[in-house]
Amino acid sequence: MKKNTFYLVTGCIALALLLIFWYSVELHTPLLIEIAFIIGIALVYLAQRRVTGVINDERDVKIGEQAMMRTMQVFWVVFCAFSIGAVMQILYVPTFPRPPAGSPPPDLLGPRMIGYIQLGLLCLMIFLYVGFRIYYARKYGDFETDEE
Amino acid sequence: MKNKIKIFRAMHNLTQEHLAQAIGVNRQTILAIEKEKYIPSLDLAFRISRYFGVNIEEIFIFDEKTPVLVPHE
């Protein structure tokens, strides 16, 4: 498979996932998009292995590793900060004066808010990775011009 | 770490593309090494020096300013 064919296939998979996501939202069935996402990513990896004419050498691997490591270093702090907030929901201790017995604990983070925060975290992770990838690509000479 | 890849390429009349193909890396990697933006692994350094038929130290020059810890005997 050529490189451009791979990009075409990846684009088709992304489009299919978008449609399934929309359909999944319409049906209120998150399992559908979750399974489709895993299958989609597996298909992209399979297609990637069949690409010919592209050399993924040690410098590319190093750029990818460094970018992912830095992304995780930043991301885990943000993720833990959010998670600590979410854990408060589990460890809810009634304040004084105590609410009447049997009353439900207040929603510190509602399900919708958790969804928004997770979307934000997902976007943050993608932006961090792309940003660090560009930074390390520049650092290891990806944008160097040549006299040849 | 300094290197003389460009000189050896010129001596052998090789382009970056040819050298990259011969040792199985991207042309951009050869360019990055030549411009000292990337220090190759020992494996790649050996492959480059073997390709030119010389010792590794004839192509790659260790920066003496880098502190080296000598083990106690």
Side-chain angles (χ1 to χ4, degrees), chain A residues 55-132:
Chain A
I55 301 166
N56 199 19
D57 63 20
E58 62 174 47
R59 195 179 59 92
D60 294 321
V61 172
K62 186 165 184 174
I63 290 169
E65 279 176 359
Q66 294 266 25
M68 186 48 81
M69 192 182 72
R70 292 289 178 210
T71 301
M72 293 314 292
Q73 279 178 344
V74 177
F75 183 75
W76 84 265
V77 177
V78 181
F79 184 75
C80 279
F82 162 68
S83 299
I84 290 164
V87 165
M88 280 179 67
Q89 189 92 351
I90 303 167
L91 303 174
Y92 169 67
V93 179
T95 49
F96 294 99
R98 287 187 184 280
S103 61
D107 267 349
L108 300 176
L109 284 170
R112 186 172 280 265
M113 185 50 77
I114 291 175
Y116 283 131
I117 293 173
Q118 284 200 331
L119 184 66
L121 285 173
L122 190 67
C123 290
L124 174 75
M125 196 178 195
I126 292 166
F127 280 114
L128 278 174
Y129 181 73
V130 171
F132 279 124

Side-chain angles (χ1 to χ4, degrees), chain B:
Chain B
M1 187 176 294
K2 295 186 184 305
N3 65 78
K4 295 180 185 170
I5 294 178
K6 202 168 182 175
I7 297 166
F8 274 85
R9 270 197 315 109
M11 281 161 58
H12 290 80
N13 199 20
L14 275 172
T15 62
Q16 289 172 341
E17 187 70 51
H18 280 124
L19 177 61
Q21 280 179 359
I23 58 174
V25 293
N26 292 314
R27 190 187 74 90
Q28 203 64 29
T29 301
I30 298 296
L31 175 61
I33 297 169
E34 282 183 4
K35 298 250 179 185
E36 296 171 24
K37 287 275 183 179
Y38 175 69
I39 298 172
S41 68
L42 201 54
D43 178 73
L44 181 55
F46 267 109
R47 270 190 284 154
I48 292 168
S49 57
R50 289 289 182 274
Y51 181 77
F52 288 118
V54 293
N55 287 328
I56 199 164
E57 285 188 319
E58 287 180 58
I59 295 186
F60 295 96
I61 300 125
F62 181 68
D63 187 3
E64 296 294 340
K65 280 180 273 181
T66 312
V68 178
L69 292 174
V70 181
H72 295 289
E73 292 187 12

